[in-house]
Each structure stands twice: as structure tokens, then as C-alpha cells.
């Protein structure tokens, strides 16, 4: 079996048991005329080439190694979904940790959302589009760098790298992964230590959890060093843990 590139969980502090890394071989096609939607590339038809995700098509590691301008590219792969992921009260999230620049995603031929911005991660809740067994995920990325209507960083607007401007990065360039969560879940959290008071302030961003209780427990080398509870108000739960020990 071919090794999955970058197999590690991209958010180790938030790793849940039920997740699936989608890096590896995807179908791939450069859409020179930006006509892929009209031609139905989001349906079950195969694309004309392959690519290794999460490496951009300009890179050698992707297997494409095309340094020319690609204003629109398409990706497609199959994902096997277990029945337990589709049980009532479970949600499946599709994470794309970076895709340059404007992205649209389809699951089994249905559009699940769009995102603009090539430098930040984003996700879509794809629960209602899934079925048990084989599912087809399609991604289209449009990157109009030379239009001057989008951020370009130090990507070169000429064919060659020049000065501090380098060869472009088009499409997917960070890990793509699936995550299965409860209907109410913690999406992210921020921890701020107060060393003088031996406390830890936590702001947890929650989904579908207003009025529910969040419990946080701190450990040091396997033994508990403090615990706290907070109630979700809107989308946030604010907690402060008083620590028995300070290290």
C-alpha cells in the first residue's frame, strides 16, 4: 500500500478517534477554459490525470510539476464512509487546510459550499450529502492571480521566479481530512495561562451547544491538577481552571 503523505493529524490538540486523512492520490484536471462546471466535472466522470495531495501541482512532489499558469484546476477522489458515521446525532465535517484561491466542493454531485482565500483552513458540514459506502468528493479551485483582484503574496505574475517572487501555488496545498463529531461539539478553543494566579483561562467555541455544560480538566504527567465547568452561551463557553500545581 502506498504511504499517505503527511499522515499526521493536522490539529493534534483536537484529535478525535473518528477521522480520515484524505491525502494521497486524487484525480486531477487542469481546466484551461474554466468550462468544467458546464461540462459537469463535478459528477461521476473521471478527470484526465492524477495528483498527489496535499502538494500543489507546480511542485515535483505532486507528480504534476507544471510551472505554467493554471487558473482553474479540479480534484476528485472516493471516500468510504462507515455506517456509524451516519447515525442520528453524528456530523461529518470535510476540512481543507488550504486551497488557493476560490474553492467550491461537491459531494456525490451536490455542491456543499464555497470558500474564498488561499491561506486559511476551512470546513463544510457534509453530513446530509453522504451515504454509507463509497462517496465522491470533487474540488474546484480558481486562481486568477494576474487579475490583481486577489491577494498574491510573493507569487510571481510572470512565468519565471524573479527577485523575491516565486513560482505560484495553485489549488490544494495543505491536508484534506474528514472528521466525525457529535451533533454538539467543540470546534476550537483558546487557552491563556495566568502564571501569577496559577490559573488557566479557556474560551471554547462550540457548535449546537447553547445551554450545555463544558468540563475541562488539567493533567500533569498523568495526574489531575485542576478542573472547571462552564455553560455554553451562544457559541462560547468560558472557563477558568485553578491549578493545584504550577510547572
Amino acid at each position: 500500500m502506498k504511504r499517505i503523505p503527511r499522515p499526521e493529524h493536522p490539529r493534534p490538540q483536537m484529535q478525535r478517534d473518528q477521522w480520515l486523512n484524505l491525502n494521497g492520490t486524487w484525480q486531477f484536471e487542469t481546466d484551461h477554459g474554466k468550462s468544467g462546471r458546464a461540462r459537469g466535472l463535478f459528477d461521476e466522470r473521471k478527470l484526465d490525470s492524477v495528483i498527489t495531495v496535499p502538494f500543489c501541482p507546480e511542485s515535483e512532489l505532486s507528480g504534476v510539476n507544471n510551472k505554467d499558469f493554471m487558473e482553474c484546476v479540479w480534484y476528485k477522489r472516493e471516500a468510504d464512509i462507515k455506517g456509524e458515521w451516519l447515525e442520528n446525532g453524528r456530523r461529518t465535517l470535510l476540512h481543507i487546510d488550504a486551497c488557493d484561491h476560490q474553492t467550491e466542493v461537491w459531494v456525490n454531485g451536490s455542491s456543499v459550499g464555497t470558500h474564498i482565500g488561499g491561506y486559511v483552513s476551512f470546513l463544510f458540514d457534509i453530513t446530509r450529502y453522504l451515504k454509507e459506502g463509497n462517496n465522491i468528493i470533487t474540488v474546484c479551485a480558481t486562481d486568477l492571480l494576474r487579475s490583481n483582484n486577489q491577494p498574491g503574496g510573493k507569487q510571481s505574475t510572470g512565468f519565471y521566479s524573479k527577485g523575491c517572487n516565486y513560482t505560484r501555488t495553485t489549488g490544494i496545498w495543505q491536508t484534506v481530512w474528514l472528521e466525525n463529531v457529535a451533533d454538539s461539539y467543540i470546534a476550537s478553543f483558546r487557552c491563556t495561562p495566568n502564571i501569577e494566579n496559577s490559573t488557566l483561562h479557556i474560551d471554547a467555541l462550540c457548535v449546537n451547544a447553547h445551554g450545555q455544560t463544558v468540563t475541562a480538566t488539567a493533567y500533569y504527567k498523568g495526574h489531575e491538577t485542576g478542573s472547571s465547568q462552564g455553560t455554553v452561551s451562544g457559541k462560547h463557553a468560558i472557563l477558568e481552571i485553578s491549578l493545584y500545581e504550577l510547572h
Side-chain angles (χ1 to χ4, degrees):
M1 180 180 293
K2 188 176 181 181
R3 181 179 179 274
I4 296 176
R6 296 185 182 171
E8 68 278 359
H9 194 287
R11 300 174 66 189
Q13 286 186 308
M14 291 287 294
Q15 183 169 344
R16 297 177 168 97
D17 291 335
Q18 296 186 342
W19 75 286
L20 179 64
N21 192 318
L22 296 182
N23 290 344
T25 302
W26 288 58
Q27 298 174 42
F28 180 77
E29 186 168 324
T30 303
D31 185 3
H32 298 288
K34 295 187 282 294
S35 60
R37 287 173 177 81
R39 292 184 286 123
L41 293 187
F42 50 81
D43 64 17
E44 295 184 359
R45 72 187 65 187
K46 289 189 176 182
L47 306 182
D48 63 13
S49 186
V50 295
I51 189 171
T52 301
V53 170
F55 307 113
C56 69
E58 289 87 352
S59 70
E60 292 186 18
L61 287 173
S62 73
V64 178
N65 195 21
N66 180 3
K67 301 295 194 291
D68 210 342
F69 289 90
M70 291 172 281
E71 293 190 339
C72 185
V73 293
W74 290 76
Y75 300 79
K76 184 176 295 187
R77 68 156 290 164
E78 298 176 351
D80 186 52
I81 301 298
K82 300 177 181 179
E84 62 192 62
W85 280 35
L86 303 177
E87 294 175 354
N88 288 335
R90 304 297 300 177
R91 316 296 299 175
T92 297
L93 311 177
L94 172 64
H95 295 261
I96 299 180
D97 282 351
C99 185
D100 197 5
H101 172 260
Q102 182 169 338
T103 307
E104 183 171 6
V105 176
W106 293 260
V107 174
N108 296 324
S110 296
S111 177
V112 301
T114 59
H115 177 267
I116 295 177
Y119 301 96
V120 295
S121 61
F122 56 98
L123 65 87
F124 300 116
D125 184 336
I126 62 172
T127 307
R128 68 188 184 96
Y129 303 97
L130 294 173
K131 60 185 179 181
E132 185 175 356
N134 186 55
N135 292 262
I136 299 176
I137 299 172
T138 306
V139 177
C140 176
T142 304
D143 189 7
L144 306 178
L145 176 67
R146 290 178 291 183
S147 69
N148 293 319
N149 290 325
Q150 66 180 58
K154 292 185 177 180
Q155 298 182 99
S156 178
T157 56
F159 178 79
Y160 295 104
S161 299
K162 184 178 181 180
C164 66
N165 296 317
Y166 52 77
T167 301
R168 295 147 298 285
T169 297
T170 300
I172 298 171
W173 62 280
Q174 293 289 348
T175 294
V176 182
W177 52 293
L178 292 174
E179 179 181 36
N180 192 250
V181 299
D183 185 59
S184 300
Y185 64 95
I186 297 174
S188 64
F189 61 89
R190 181 185 297 273
C191 297
T192 306
N194 186 323
I195 296 175
E196 292 182 355
N197 295 328
S198 296
T199 58
L200 183 67
H201 182 273
I202 300 175
D203 183 353
L205 175 64
C206 305
V207 177
N208 297 329
H210 177 70
Q212 297 191 36
T213 300
V214 173
T215 301
T217 304
Y219 295 87
Y220 180 73
K221 292 186 176 180
H223 67 272
E224 183 179 331
T225 58
S227 182
S228 180
Q229 288 188 338
T231 301
V232 181
S233 177
K235 295 183 179 181
H236 290 267
I238 307 298
L239 304 83
E240 187 166 88
I241 301 178
S242 296
L243 300 172
Y244 313 143
E245 304 174 12
L246 186 64
H247 297 276

